[in-house]
Amino acid sequence: MVTAVHYFATLEDQMMLLDYLGEPAKVTLHPWPVVKTPLTALSRQDALEQSRVLVINHQLGLPIPIRPGDAAMQGGSVTSVFNRLNWERLAPAAEEALVDSDASPTMLWSPAPQIAEVILPSSIGSQADSMAGISKDYERWVNRSMSWIRRKGTRVWGLEGRQARPDLDINLSFISTVFALPGALQALELGTPGREV
């Protein structure tokens, strides 16, 4: 089951998250979901300009690439169907492949664009159907990373919508819990609206 934490962040908040993750010494950032051999590395600045970023913890291993003919592309499971659809839609080149989300010890980070007039929600988490199925260490890493956001952040949105923080100007179409990291919370409290793209 896919798991992620949603959060509001300023540029400084995003830098704190990347510092916590250990980028660039422990983790590296790469394009998602198409990977090349060798992997294309992204700087922090480049990563923040992407809508989806592959986060690799090198102690846990590299992403598992998949191509047509691989088991992850076969059969009628939802994952296999999506893998085939993504392959057709993205049309990877010969030296490229898709990330096998159910086998790769990686996280998907979706950093929101930094816009002065509004704060947009970001997210980070796992795309695996079973994190423990990849490894217990991987499951712990993902959970620790998401817990860091919950600990450092303040819950500002959720099932009850505006009632979580009626003093803030937040309007989102989804009901997932959203945390505001410190810089974003300050901006929201000063009147910057929280919206989605």
Side-chain angles (χ1 to χ4, degrees):
M1 182 171 133
V2 174
T3 182
V5 63
H6 299 269
Y7 64 96
F8 289 118
T10 61
L11 178 60
E12 293 76 18
D13 293 328
Q14 298 284 32
M15 293 300 110
M16 284 186 351
L17 171 61
L18 292 174
D19 288 344
Y20 170 76
L21 292 174
E23 193 281 332
K26 294 181 181 177
V27 308
T28 52
L29 309 173
H30 308 271
W32 175 289
V34 176
V35 292
K36 290 184 179 181
T37 303
L39 288 168
T40 302
L42 298 172
S43 67
R44 286 185 179 197
Q45 184 58 43
D46 290 340
L48 284 164
E49 294 171 4
Q50 307 295 313
S51 60
R52 295 173 299 175
V53 177
L54 177 69
V55 182
I56 298 175
N57 179 334
H58 289 272
Q59 292 179 330
L60 298 175
L62 296 174
I64 307 299
I66 54 172
R67 295 177 175 86
D70 291 340
M73 291 273 198
Q74 306 302 313
S77 72
V78 172
T79 302
S80 298
V81 170
F82 276 113
N83 286 338
R84 291 193 299 272
L85 289 173
N86 283 333
W87 186 271
E88 290 174 16
R89 180 176 60 87
L90 298 167
E95 71 279 5
E96 296 175 332
L98 298 181
V99 175
D100 185 346
S101 299
D102 284 335
S104 300
T106 59
M107 284 195 292
L108 171 60
W109 176 40
S110 297
Q114 297 290 313
I115 302 171
E117 303 80 24
V118 68
I119 298 180
L120 306 172
S122 299
S123 67
I124 192 167
S126 172
Q127 294 293 293
D129 286 338
S130 169
M131 292 190 293
I134 294 174
S135 80
K136 285 293 187 185
D137 287 340
Y138 168 66
E139 183 178 40
R140 280 190 286 272
W141 175 57
V142 173
N143 286 332
R144 274 196 315 268
S145 301
M146 294 190 303
S147 292
W148 182 88
I149 291 171
R150 292 183 188 106
R151 284 193 320 274
K152 295 291 183 184
T154 299
R155 187 172 169 276
V156 295
W157 184 262
L159 183 60
E160 69 283 2
R162 289 179 198 258
Q163 298 312 308
R165 282 293 300 263
D167 58 315
L168 303 179
D169 182 9
I170 299 173
N171 191 3
L172 304 173
S173 65
F174 58 86
I175 59 171
S176 298
T177 300
V178 180
F179 296 86
L181 290 175
L185 181 62
Q186 182 179 28
L188 289 165
E189 289 176 338
L190 289 173
T192 304
R195 297 291 188 269
E196 58 192 305
V197 179

